[in-house]
Amino acid sequence: MELSRRPRRNRKSQTIRNLVREHSVSVDDLVFPMFLIPGNNTKNEVASMPGIFRFSTDLLLKEIDTCMSLGIKAFALFPNIPEELKDARASESWNDKGLYLNTIRSIKKEFPEACIISDVAMDPYSTTGHDGLVDANGTILNDETLEVLGKMALAQARAGADIIGPSDMMDGRVGYIRSLLDDEEFTDVSIMSYTAKYASAFYGPFRDALNSAPKFGDKKTYQMDPANVTEALVEGELDVLEGADFLMVKPALPYLDVIKTLYDEFDLPIAAYNVSGEYAMIKAAAQNGWLDGEKAMQETLLSIKRSGAKIILSYFAKEFALLSR
Ligand code: PBG
């Protein structure tokens, strides 16, 4: 057969395959999301996320130490708040002596080089489980919520957070938080905006982990419609104008086109959140022997990189780091 073009020649050995490989994932790209619980010497596994634990502060510090020695240097922290500390205004979120802020301070004291990405949203702290303030009719209030988010973000910056991560999807929150931070001279504290965060079924295991599911309704008046991609450009433009340092797409795998769209359109680094449900799917199938979990993980992370994300928040971070040693 006369074939002048034979693409298979570039696949004939591992060395050549390595030479022509276009994309790769490194531990430098990964952020490890971690769940925090009150107490001492306590850890418990999230039932729907095998291998992922909620840690008390002391054990979280040990886990961070282990992860740092594996090369993971960035962590996104989420608190599991006891019901009795929740209220309508999420006031525990700016309680300087509370679990979350205390833990951020401890981490930064023990590991100054660890990069801590905080979470700004009301849901772990609010009685309703919504990310914003709720009025008597069940409407999520935007502008009133900004004040709460602002207090929360400032308290996190004071505790030592390196990057503030607003995950709430209220309009105007990036600019609002940026100006509060700047007014208090936190000009070096970054903002990783959850730019295109979709109203997704893939957050289920996360809400189990934090016991933060909405007590009524859904999040569709603030999180984006999964059918929309052009709308992500509107969110991206606003975040750029309002001073975001990173643009995030969440979830990752069902939204690779959105990652690519933001990557093509904007100059800021794109982050993607490989969320709890994406982790649970692979783990469940692997536990059943239905697919090779490690290979599926590596292929998944690579696909997210390939689509244009520079940074990946993933519950696979530690497992990936262990495999790449
Ligand atoms: C809420 C928040 C959610 C996640 C991160 N921050 C869930 C939600 O919006 O209900 C989900 C992350 C995951 O599923 O891994 N502010």
Side-chain angles (χ1 to χ4, degrees):
M1 183 85 66
E2 252 188 66
L3 286 176
S4 59
R5 303 294 312 266
R6 286 183 182 268
R8 286 187 55 194
R9 275 195 290 269
N10 280 356
R11 300 178 203 136
K12 72 182 168 193
S13 71
Q14 189 58 51
T15 302
I16 291 176
R17 288 193 294 275
N18 289 349
L19 285 173
V20 302
R21 174 168 293 155
E22 297 171 48
H23 297 277
S24 60
V25 181
S26 126
V27 285
D28 290 336
D29 305 324
L30 301 179
V31 175
F32 195 17
M34 300 177 98
F35 302 125
L36 179 62
I37 45 171
N40 246 309
N41 196 23
T42 306
K43 69 173 202 180
N44 50 57
E45 196 170 20
V46 182
S48 48
M49 301 178 76
I52 295 297
F53 294 81
R54 307 173 187 88
F55 293 100
S56 57
T57 306
D58 53 334
L59 295 190
L60 187 89
L61 288 168
K62 287 200 179 131
E63 182 69 0
I64 287 181
D65 196 16
T66 308
C67 290
M68 301 259 295
S69 62
L70 291 169
I72 302 168
K73 303 285 161 73
F75 305 89
L77 265 197
F78 299 94
N80 179 311
I81 303 293
E83 281 304 314
E84 63 272 18
L85 293 179
K86 298 184 183 180
D87 63 22
R89 295 190 57 80
S91 49
E92 180 63 13
S93 67
W94 65 86
N95 172 9
D96 214 37
K97 303 202 168 59
L99 172 70
Y100 193 65
L101 299 174
N102 260 337
T103 303
I104 292 178
R105 264 189 302 270
S106 307
I107 298 169
K108 291 301 294 184
K109 188 162 166 230
E110 206 161 320
F111 310 107
E113 69 289 13
C115 174
I116 299 301
I117 305 176
S118 68
D119 181 54
V120 173
M122 289 176 61
D123 55 320
Y125 312 92
S126 71
T127 28
T128 62
H130 276 287
D131 294 31
L133 285 168
V134 184
D135 77 4
N137 305 317
T139 304
I140 314 299
L141 304 170
N142 194 87
D143 301 14
E144 294 81 346
T145 297
L146 296 187
E147 276 179 46
V148 178
L149 301 176
K151 277 194 200 177
M152 202 183 300
L154 261 186
Q156 294 168 352
R158 289 189 194 116
D162 301 273
I163 301 176
I164 304 293
S167 68
D168 56 284
M169 289 301 280
M170 296 301 122
D171 292 335
R173 90 276 207 211
V174 170
Y176 186 86
I177 292 171
R178 183 71 269 160
S179 72
L180 282 182
L181 291 173
D182 291 350
D183 286 349
E184 291 229 3
E185 312 214 340
F186 289 116
T187 49
D188 279 346
V189 174
S190 320
I191 298 180
M192 179 179 285
S193 175
Y194 287 60
T195 300
K197 176 173 178 179
Y198 287 87
S200 170
F202 290 94
Y203 306 149
F206 174 97
R207 294 175 187 172
D208 290 343
L210 296 191
N211 188 24
S212 65
K215 303 259 167 45
F216 69 90
D218 53 43
K219 299 191 174 187
K220 291 182 186 166
T221 68
Y222 45 107
Q223 299 182 347
M224 283 177 56
D225 183 341
N228 296 353
V229 59
T230 308
E231 192 181 331
L233 294 173
V234 176
E235 291 285 0
E237 255 166 60
L238 289 171
D239 282 349
V240 169
L241 288 172
E242 292 177 33
D245 301 286
F246 310 85
L247 305 179
M248 190 204 292
V249 175
K250 175 185 178 181
L253 212 41
Y255 299 90
L256 295 181
D257 58 325
V258 181
I259 296 174
K260 173 82 169 106
T261 301
L262 294 194
Y263 173 76
D264 287 342
E265 202 67 28
F266 299 106
D267 300 331
L268 290 174
I270 307 298
Y273 200 143
N274 177 220
V275 301
S276 57
E278 298 173 61
Y279 176 86
M281 283 195 301
I282 290 181
K283 282 290 168 189
Q287 284 189 342
N288 273 296
W290 293 341
L291 50 69
D292 180 325
E294 284 175 7
K295 291 204 175 97
M297 161 185 75
Q298 276 159 332
E299 190 175 332
T300 297
L301 295 175
L302 191 55
S303 75
I304 298 169
K305 256 327 261 304
R306 201 183 61 236
S307 71
K310 175 58 188 71
I311 301 158
I312 308 174
L313 292 86
S314 178
Y315 301 96
F316 286 117
K318 185 180 175 191
E319 196 177 329
F320 179 89
L322 280 165
L323 283 173
S324 8
R325 272 192 305 182

